[in-house]
């Protein structure tokens, strides 16, 4: 499968919580360089799918990133294989500065000796990430004091310095202003050039602007997959999306 | 003070500490008070470790008595053997008259190098074992605290049960010499005080370095959001383990220094209650600041002596009340008062006070 080398390849993924099947046999391929949007109604299993891939919940089936099987590994081992994620609610180290947050994200491979010393200068990759996410000027403020949008960008910056090759973003633009969404979308385009990106989103407007491909999840199963236009035209999608017409999807089905 | 560079401020701080401990205190205090201070400083050394593990790492170390005890007993065993002279058994063993010869596990402690190393390494080893089990299995905070307490209780029971070889409830008492120096001589007592003060300053410097290193930042990150750290590719268990083991080593060293300062180590000094008292001192002083635990430990120990002399029996309640008040109204401890004043003047944020550990703590206290 040369076309999935470096990509994400999920087969028969199944997650069961106390008898409740949250993810029910999902197959999913995401090519390197793609920006795949993962949509679906509340409770469709989107977050659970990401949890399974990143080792947070137990799952059966297979999820390969490049040559490596991800299932069955500890969370930190999956992360070291180049899989990074963000959370539905921003999860930063609020008591640490922007720089410290990025520096920690960049440091999983550091030697004990480096760890026991102070950070002398700002590492190159951290400085570059600060540029990319536009927070160079806010380097020394506490992460907890950032604006909502900036927090999400910092999270993405942390994935960059962590050297994640597969980015799994859970609702990165929820609660953002229009300008912040635009900036985030552009940021996604920038970082996707040499990475594989999966974005969970409810915002249809954002999806239409920035998705390259879309997968619709419903009740733990893949309902539809394709380009934005293909998915929007799919009657099955129109049906589950609030039982409304294609227009509802087009208007934005934000719950 | 505000326009000095941080580096200068640190040197000034350490200089001031050295002047207080090495010049002012010996000049102003009677021999008796100075030896009390020596004892308090031992508690302060334990507190520095708790400040790192609990204040920065969020590990509620409610069993530091175990490590204090391991260090204390290792030192006391050596000193008892040295007092008895080569080839002899310690006095209490002769007294009980049950043993024909020194138990095998006592023998290596006759060697001063082994004993000294054991005061620090033994607690660290035990902490490493316990910590590896607990942190890898992701035991929740409250259970970790309970487990620590259980270990302290178990150690006390073991010591009391093995009276013939441990001195039982009495512990190891009547320690006379310290590596050839007579501990009855006030001059030598002073020397012990100076050693303790020196060790405290050195450990403060070490802890400061740790707190300001990349590891120190990572430790705070683990405290505030363990899962997030995991998703960055770190194993939080290892991060916690380092802080826990370092804190255990400090408690062990403190126990070892306590023995020549006070002349005794016994189960009553290392069980559940003393373990809790170590933590109370740290909470009162301010667990996340560098000096908070030191000041809190000394203040609480001093208050205990002063108040239980005058109002015996009420100290326990006072201490409990103090703890609850601090946790409820001043979660950053007394040290945070200084920060509040400074922040009001400078409007500068301070990253050292834990975000949500306090709720856990209140629940644990209420339970
Ligand atoms: N730890 C858990 N234990 C039990 N059930 C869970 C657990 N986590 C999620 N679920 C259930 O699994 C289903 C899928 O949840 P999931 O969070 O993956 O949905 P989602 O597609 O991300 O929804 P949303 O758009 O609301 O974020 C839901 O019905 C949820 O209640
Ligand atoms: Mg979700």
């Amino acid at each position: 499968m040369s076309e999935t080398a470096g990509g994400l390849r999920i087969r028969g993924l199944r997650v069961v919580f106390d008898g409740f099947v949250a993810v029910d046999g999902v197959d999913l391929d995401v090519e390197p360089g793609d920006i795949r949007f993962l949509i679906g109604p509340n409770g469709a299993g989107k977050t659970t799918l990401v949890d399974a891939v990143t080792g947070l919940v137990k799952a059966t089936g297979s999820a390969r990133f490049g040559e490596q099987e991800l299932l069955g590994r500890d969370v930190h081992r999956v992360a070291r294989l180049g899989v990074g994620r963000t959370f539905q609610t921003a999860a930063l180290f609020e008591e640490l500065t922007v720089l410290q947050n990025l520096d920690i994200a960049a440091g999983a491979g550091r030697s004990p000796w480096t760890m026991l010393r102070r950070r002398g200068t700002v590492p190159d990759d951290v400085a570059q990430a600060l540029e990319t996410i536009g927070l160079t000027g806010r380097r020394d403020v506490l992460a907890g004091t950032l604006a909502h949008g900036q927090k999400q960008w910092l999270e993405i910056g942390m994935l960059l310095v962590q050297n994640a090759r597969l980015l799994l973003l859970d609702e990165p633009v929820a609660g953002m202003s229009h300008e912040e969404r635009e900036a985030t979308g552009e940021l996604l385009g920038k970082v996707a050039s040499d990475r594989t990106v999966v974005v969970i989103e409810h915002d249809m407007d954002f999806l239409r602007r920035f998705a390259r491909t879309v997968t619709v999840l419903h009740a733990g199963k893949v309902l539809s997959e394709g380009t934005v236009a293909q998915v929007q035209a799919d009657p099955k999608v129109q049906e589950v999306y609030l039982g409304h017409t294609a227009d509802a999807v087009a208007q934005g089905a934000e719950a | 003070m505000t326009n000095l560079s941080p580096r200068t401020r640190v040197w000034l701080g350490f200089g001031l500490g050295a002047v207080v401990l090495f010049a002012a205190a010996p000049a102003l205090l009677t021999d008796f008070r100075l030896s009390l201070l020596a004892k308090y400083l031992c508690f302060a050394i334990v507190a520095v470790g708790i400040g790192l593990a609990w204040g920065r790492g969020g590990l509620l170390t409610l069993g530091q008595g175990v490590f204090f005890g391991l260090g204390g007993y290792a030192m006391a065993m050596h000193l008892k053997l040295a007092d008895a002279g080569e080839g002899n058994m310690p006095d209490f063993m002769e007294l009980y008259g049950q043993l024909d010869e020194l138990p095998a596990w006592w023998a290596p402690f006759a060697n001063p190098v082994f004993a000294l190393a054991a005061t620090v390494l033994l607690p660290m080893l035990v902490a490493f074992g316990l910590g590896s089990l607990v942190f890898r299995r992701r035991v929740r905070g409250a259970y970790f605290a309970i487990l620590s307490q259980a270990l302290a209780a178990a150690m006390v029971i073991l010591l009391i049960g093995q009276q013939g070889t441990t001195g039982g409830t009495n512990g190891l008492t009547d320690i006379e010499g310290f590596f050839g120096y007579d501990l009855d001589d006030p001059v030598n007592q002073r020397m012990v005080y100076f050693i303790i003060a020196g060790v405290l300053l050195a450990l403060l410097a070490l802890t400061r370095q740790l707190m300001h290193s990349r590891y120190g930042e990572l430790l705070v990150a683990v405290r505030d959001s363990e899962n997030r750290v995991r998703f960055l590719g770190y194993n939080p268990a290892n991060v916690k383990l380092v802080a826990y083991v370092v804190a255990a080593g400090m408690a062990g060293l403190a126990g070892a220094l306590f023995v020549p300062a006070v002349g005794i180590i016994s189960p009553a000094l290392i069980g559940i209650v003393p373990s809790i008292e170590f933590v109370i001192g740290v909470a009162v002083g301010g667990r996340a600041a560098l000096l908070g635990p030191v000041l809190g430990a000394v203040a609480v120990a001093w208050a205990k002596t002063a108040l239980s002399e005058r109002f015996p029996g009420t100290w326990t309640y006072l201490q409990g009340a103090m703890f609850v008040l601090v946790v409820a109204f001043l979660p950053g401890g007394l040290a945070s008062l200084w920060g509040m004043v400074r922040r009001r003047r400078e409007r500068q944020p301070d990253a050292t006070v834990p975000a949500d550990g306090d709720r856990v703590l209140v629940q644990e206290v209420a339970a």
Side-chain angles (χ1 to χ4, degrees):
Chain A
M1 283 285 142
S2 66
E3 74 264 45
T4 55
L8 176 66
R9 180 184 162 85
I10 294 176
R11 288 291 175 272
L13 189 76
R14 211 174 132 82
V15 180
V16 183
F17 296 117
D18 298 324
F20 172 74
V21 185
V23 177
D24 191 3
V26 166
D27 292 349
L28 188 70
D29 287 287
V30 188
E31 308 290 316
D34 196 358
I35 302 182
R36 170 72 51 91
F37 272 56
L38 199 56
I39 64 170
N42 292 111
K46 306 180 295 291
T47 299
T48 306
L49 183 142
V50 169
D51 287 350
V53 169
T54 53
L56 192 61
V57 300
K58 277 206 172 16
T60 54
S62 155
R64 296 178 84 82
F65 178 54
E67 299 300 305
Q68 305 281 352
E69 176 63 49
L70 304 178
L71 298 192
R73 290 181 198 260
D74 283 339
V75 167
H76 68 276
R77 304 240 172 249
V78 173
R80 283 188 202 169
L81 292 175
V83 179
R85 72 173 291 184
T86 64
F87 297 82
Q88 226 161 323
T89 49
L92 298 162
F93 309 119
E94 308 227 324
E95 309 287 321
L96 299 174
T97 65
V98 169
L99 175 60
Q100 286 171 328
N101 269 273
L102 286 169
D103 189 61
I104 286 176
R110 285 183 184 131
S111 70
W113 176 241
T114 313
M115 290 303 294
L116 289 177
R117 287 182 320 171
R118 278 159 188 266
R119 178 183 45 255
T121 52
V122 179
D124 287 342
D125 52 347
V126 171
Q128 211 180 333
L130 277 168
E131 258 334 298
T132 309
I133 60 176
L135 290 180
T136 305
R138 311 225 59 198
R139 193 181 96 166
D140 294 316
V141 307
L142 294 186
T145 64
L146 290 178
H148 176 76
Q150 293 174 324
K151 283 188 183 173
Q152 286 291 352
W153 298 335
L154 176 53
E155 290 238 38
I156 294 172
M158 286 164 77
L159 298 186
L160 298 182
V161 293
Q162 182 188 349
N163 224 344
R165 313 314 298 170
L166 171 63
L167 273 51
L168 306 164
L169 311 177
D170 200 349
E171 304 194 16
V173 300
M176 279 189 185
S177 70
H178 182 72
E179 289 74 28
E180 286 174 330
R181 280 164 202 240
E182 288 298 301
T184 308
E186 273 154 33
L187 179 58
L188 286 186
K190 245 188 278 176
V191 304
S193 60
D194 51 352
R195 294 180 182 82
T196 308
V197 180
V198 177
V199 183
I200 298 177
E201 241 335 309
H202 282 295
D203 186 307
M204 292 299 145
D205 225 22
F206 185 68
L207 174 137
R208 250 177 280 109
R209 293 267 288 114
F210 298 104
R212 289 185 193 153
T213 56
V214 183
T215 298
V216 185
L217 224 55
H218 175 53
K221 291 195 166 84
V222 174
L223 188 73
S224 178
E225 195 166 278
T227 63
V228 178
Q230 285 167 346
V231 167
Q232 275 190 15
D234 188 333
K236 279 183 297 182
V237 176
Q238 294 165 13
E239 201 174 308
V240 307
Y241 252 91
L242 311 169
H244 287 241
T245 57
D247 249 20
V249 180
Q251 303 288 319
E254 215 173 340
Chain B
M1 209 60 184
T2 44
N3 48 9
L4 296 174
S5 79
R7 182 169 279 255
T8 319
R9 237 187 274 180
V10 170
W11 281 113
L12 269 180
F14 272 98
L16 193 68
V19 169
V20 168
L21 289 175
F22 287 102
L28 298 174
L29 298 177
T30 62
D31 283 342
F32 173 68
R33 293 283 159 196
L34 195 69
S35 76
L36 277 183
L37 183 59
K39 178 168 123 179
Y40 303 161
L41 293 186
C42 291
F43 297 151
I45 293 175
V46 181
V48 173
I50 296 178
L52 180 72
W54 182 37
R56 295 298 173 124
L59 305 167
L60 185 46
T61 48
L62 272 175
Q64 294 306 85
V66 170
F67 308 125
F68 186 80
L70 285 171
Y73 271 90
M75 175 64 93
M77 284 162 73
H78 172 70
L79 297 184
K80 287 306 276 181
L81 288 172
D83 282 351
E86 199 161 338
N88 297 325
M89 290 201 291
D91 48 8
F92 75 96
M93 285 188 194
E94 303 274 10
L95 211 65
Y96 296 135
Q98 295 165 342
L99 297 167
D100 301 327
E101 58 173 14
L102 198 65
W105 59 273
W106 268 74
F109 288 91
N111 181 328
V113 177
F114 176 88
L116 275 180
T119 61
V120 179
L121 296 183
L122 207 58
M124 290 175 93
L125 206 67
V126 172
F128 182 81
L130 183 73
S132 305
L133 280 175
V134 171
F135 303 144
R136 293 251 149 77
R137 272 157 219 268
R138 307 201 195 164
V139 173
R140 295 241 146 266
Y143 294 104
F144 171 66
I146 292 167
L147 210 67
S148 305
Q149 287 263 284
L151 195 66
M155 183 162 166
V156 167
I157 291 168
L158 187 75
L159 285 169
I160 293 177
Q162 303 295 313
Q163 188 169 22
T165 52
T166 64
T169 318
N170 295 338
L172 300 177
T173 61
D174 302 321
I175 286 156
E176 284 155 12
F178 183 63
F179 298 96
Y181 294 94
D182 180 3
L183 285 173
D184 279 338
D185 186 339
V187 175
N188 293 338
Q189 271 299 333
R190 248 163 206 263
M191 172 192 72
V192 170
Y193 165 82
F194 283 123
I195 292 173
I196 292 171
V199 167
L200 175 62
L201 282 183
L203 290 182
L204 275 174
L206 176 83
T207 306
R208 189 176 185 284
Q209 170 64 26
L210 266 184
M211 284 179 173
H212 286 79
S213 69
R214 281 182 150 127
Y215 168 77
E217 292 174 355
L218 183 60
L219 186 63
V220 170
V222 169
R223 177 193 74 190
D224 291 345
S225 187
E226 182 172 342
N227 243 337
R228 188 71 185 91
V229 172
R230 211 172 261 134
F231 282 106
L232 293 173
Y234 296 96
N235 187 355
N238 294 339
V239 180
K240 293 182 190 177
L241 196 57
V242 171
Y244 187 52
V245 167
V246 168
M250 290 189 190
L253 190 53
L257 294 168
F258 180 90
V259 171
V262 182
I264 180 175
I265 187 80
S266 74
L269 293 164
I270 68 176
I272 288 188
V273 174
S275 296
I276 294 175
E277 284 179 343
F278 288 140
V279 168
I280 291 180
V282 175
V284 168
R287 69 189 123 130
L290 179 65
L291 284 180
V294 172
L295 300 178
V298 172
V300 169
W302 170 80
K304 181 179 181 176
T305 311
L307 293 174
S308 49
E309 269 169 15
R310 245 161 278 170
F311 320 100
T314 55
W315 168 247
T316 319
Y317 299 104
L318 269 173
Q319 182 170 255
M322 193 162 62
F323 185 49
V324 171
L325 280 177
V326 166
V327 168
F329 298 109
L330 201 62
L334 296 177
S336 65
L337 284 177
W338 159 250
M340 282 179 200
V341 173
R342 196 184 51 181
R343 234 170 309 149
R344 193 152 296 175
R345 262 190 286 158
E346 296 179 22
R347 302 239 123 253
Q348 177 196 71
D350 179 19
T352 53
V353 180
D356 65 349
D358 310 316
R359 218 170 308 126
V360 179
L361 185 65
V362 173
Q363 282 160 3
E364 271 154 22
V365 170

